Amino acid sequence: MAIKKFKKSFTQQESIAQSGIDKAVEVLQSGRLHRYNTAPGEISETALLEQEYAAYQETRYCLAVASGGQAIQIALRSVGIKPGDKILANAYTLAPVPGAIHVVGAVPVFVEIGDDWLTDISDLRDKAKESGAKFLLLSHMRGHIADMDDICEICDKYGIAMIEDCAHTMGATWNGRKSGNFGKVACFSTQTYKHMNSGEGGFLTTDDAEIAARATILSGSYMLYERHGASPPPETFKTIRLETPNCSARLDNLRAAILRAQLQTLDDNIQRWNDRYITILDGLRNAVGIRIIERPQHEAYVGSSIQFHTDGVIDDRIPAFINGCMARGVELKWFGLKDPVAFTSRYDSWRYIDDMPVLPKTLKALSTTCDMRVPLTFSEADCRDIAEIIVEEAESAVVLN
Ligand SMILES: *Cc1c(COP(=O)(O)O)cnc(C)c1O
């Protein structure tokens, strides 16, 4: 058997398109990088981006901000969350999510995930009832979208306001409706490893005028809210503008210029991600020791990362399997690791949170979960090579069982 080694980087994104580079250079030459620094009659790149993203997302209002994490913090404050309020949240998500809950002084009520990485509906139902929480911060973690009919029904029944974290579902839909359009407000990230890349950046979208107005002031608009691209009419700001603190989390024209160019090709890129995702998934389908999960039919996902279970490999052998893949250039994350590497995604890593629960389902699901990024710099042939390496390494790990 030919020992293949994969040579490309799992963290290498594509270049910014020439049209984006040209626009960015224009912004640099103009010297007007701040979103409110415009020439007479000029609409800033940031305001134009807000208009265009609102149109793409099919929402009334869109606010561009400095990061996805900032979008979440602002969303939590703009729906009226106060210190001590309980927020139902994923036990499996990225650190900016519990971080945002913590900095607004709220208390997370972590909800279990199932084997399919989706929010466990019966646990959500129980905790919605028992905790009395009036908010749900739902991360569509790694792009997996739970049954939104069930989730909306639970929210309606208990009077819960939903905030969607769409860091991994920008451009995805559930039952034909864009992810982010199910709750009161949605948050997106344009950090380098998400679906659009401005280094750092994010969006908040909503159809609620008051939430949009509060979010705009919170983002640091000063009294210049009329210079936004997709914000509510000035009347909405009348009292909100003086009653809402400025948290200084604006986006700038340089990053907006780069993002406007990328929005043009977002849907094409989603197709390219999914072609790669399917190639890898098919390659792993009949592997020994590996179990893939077929995704729900209602979900039109964006395959920018892939997950699978290693439950044919006994626990002690999983690190050897991960290291074997790594030695051949295939970079997998394993969520069963006791001490997190590079980032934290499992609730028990967030030790600043008091009264940490024990969530056996989540721990069990993550104990065999592997995760891999699928950058667009990989070709479909690369994806076949990657799957082959994973299959071979899993086979040797199973043989050693
Ligand atoms: C990336 C990410 C965010 C936001 O991250 P920023 O780096 O602050 O833009 C939020 N939630 C999840 C699940 C993420 O992966």
Side-chain angles (χ1 to χ4, degrees):
M1 195 187 330
I3 300 283
K4 243 188 237 139
K5 201 170 166 183
F6 186 69
K7 297 272 168 58
K8 289 191 185 173
S9 164
F10 279 73
T11 52
Q12 182 60 56
Q13 302 296 47
E14 289 189 298
S15 162
I16 302 300
Q18 194 56 47
S19 60
I21 295 174
D22 292 345
K23 219 36 190 162
V25 169
E26 255 179 59
V27 170
L28 290 171
Q29 284 166 341
S30 79
R32 294 187 295 279
L33 275 72
H34 193 284
R35 66 168 298 165
Y36 303 123
N37 182 198
T38 47
E42 184 182 37
I43 301 175
S44 75
E45 286 293 310
T46 313
L48 290 169
L49 173 67
E50 287 169 335
Q51 273 172 18
E52 291 162 2
Y53 195 76
Y56 177 81
Q57 182 61 30
E58 297 158 17
T59 53
R60 213 166 286 162
Y61 310 117
C62 172
L63 173 73
V65 290
S67 73
Q70 283 295 327
I72 297 174
Q73 274 186 45
I74 290 171
L76 298 181
R77 292 186 205 273
S78 65
V79 299
I81 289 171
K82 300 274 177 315
D85 284 349
K86 289 178 183 165
I87 307 180
L88 295 154
N90 298 54
Y92 165 56
T93 181
L94 197 69
V97 175
I101 295 174
H102 193 69
V103 299
V104 303
V107 180
V109 178
F110 288 119
V111 180
E112 295 264 32
I113 57 164
D115 189 53
D116 50 8
W117 309 291
L118 299 174
T119 295
D120 181 311
I121 297 294
S122 76
D123 195 50
L124 176 64
R125 197 181 294 281
D126 291 347
K127 285 182 176 148
K129 191 172 166 192
E130 288 158 15
S131 71
K134 291 296 163 219
F135 303 95
L136 165 64
L137 172 51
L138 181 68
S139 287
H140 304 293
M141 184 56 177
R142 292 328 243 156
H144 297 273
I145 306 178
D147 189 311
M148 295 309 293
D149 286 342
D150 286 344
I151 290 184
C152 290
E153 182 256 311
I154 294 169
C155 288
D156 282 349
K157 181 163 179 190
Y158 295 102
I160 292 169
M162 178 179 11
I163 299 106
E164 290 182 75
D165 168 16
C166 301
H168 304 156
T169 55
M170 176 185 275
T173 64
W174 196 85
N175 217 359
R177 189 158 155 200
K178 281 246 161 78
S179 176
N181 294 354
F182 292 84
K184 275 221 165 295
V185 48
C187 305
F188 299 84
S189 169
T190 62
Q191 180 248 77
T192 292
Y193 301 110
K194 312 299 164 90
H195 301 167
M196 291 202 289
N197 172 13
S198 59
E200 305 283 357
F203 296 114
L204 178 153
T205 61
T206 181
D207 281 335
D208 184 302
E210 289 197 4
I211 289 175
R214 277 195 289 273
T216 303
I217 303 287
L218 282 161
S219 79
S221 69
Y222 307 105
M223 295 296 111
L224 302 172
Y225 44 83
E226 288 183 60
R227 308 263 289 275
H228 278 246
S231 70
E235 311 83 88
T236 321
F237 289 85
K238 212 160 202 125
T239 53
I240 286 173
R241 67 193 189 127
L242 300 174
E243 287 176 354
T244 310
N246 174 329
C247 301
S248 230
R250 294 168 301 274
L251 195 71
D252 56 85
N253 290 333
L254 182 57
R255 285 184 285 172
I258 296 170
L259 290 170
R260 286 187 69 207
Q262 289 175 61
L263 188 53
Q264 302 296 319
T265 54
L266 177 56
D267 283 337
D268 290 341
N269 282 348
I270 289 173
Q271 190 54 54
R272 296 172 62 221
W273 261 307
N274 290 349
D275 292 343
R276 286 157 179 73
Y277 180 93
I278 297 288
T279 301
I280 298 170
L281 199 73
D282 282 345
L284 299 181
R285 200 170 291 275
N286 300 312
V288 178
I290 283 176
R291 181 167 55 93
I292 58 165
I293 302 276
E294 300 296 346
R295 301 179 74 146
Q297 277 184 339
H298 283 327
E299 183 193 38
Y301 56 84
V302 182
S304 54
S305 71
I306 191 164
Q307 294 71 41
F308 58 85
H309 286 290
T310 53
D311 41 22
V313 181
I314 57 170
D315 292 359
D316 289 355
R317 294 294 312 165
I318 295 176
F321 162 67
I322 302 286
N323 292 338
C325 289
M326 193 58 176
R328 296 176 66 185
V330 174
E331 205 179 311
L332 299 178
K333 300 270 158 41
W334 173 42
F335 288 113
L337 211 59
K338 293 261 166 342
D339 203 28
V341 173
F343 56 84
T344 57
S345 287
R346 208 174 69 191
Y347 75 97
D348 56 346
S349 300
W350 307 315
R351 306 231 176 110
Y352 51 85
I353 288 162
D354 295 332
D355 303 323
M356 191 61 82
V358 176
L359 300 173
K361 274 191 176 174
T362 301
L363 294 176
K364 178 158 193 309
L366 294 180
S367 70
T368 55
T369 297
C370 289
D371 178 280
M372 189 177 80
R373 283 194 180 120
V374 186
L376 290 175
T377 47
F378 292 178
S379 66
E380 286 179 54
D382 290 337
C383 292
R384 278 188 286 277
D385 288 350
I386 289 168
E388 205 176 303
I389 289 171
I390 295 173
V391 168
E392 288 172 7
E393 290 301 314
E395 243 170 48
S396 15
V398 170
V399 168
L400 285 169
N401 278 354

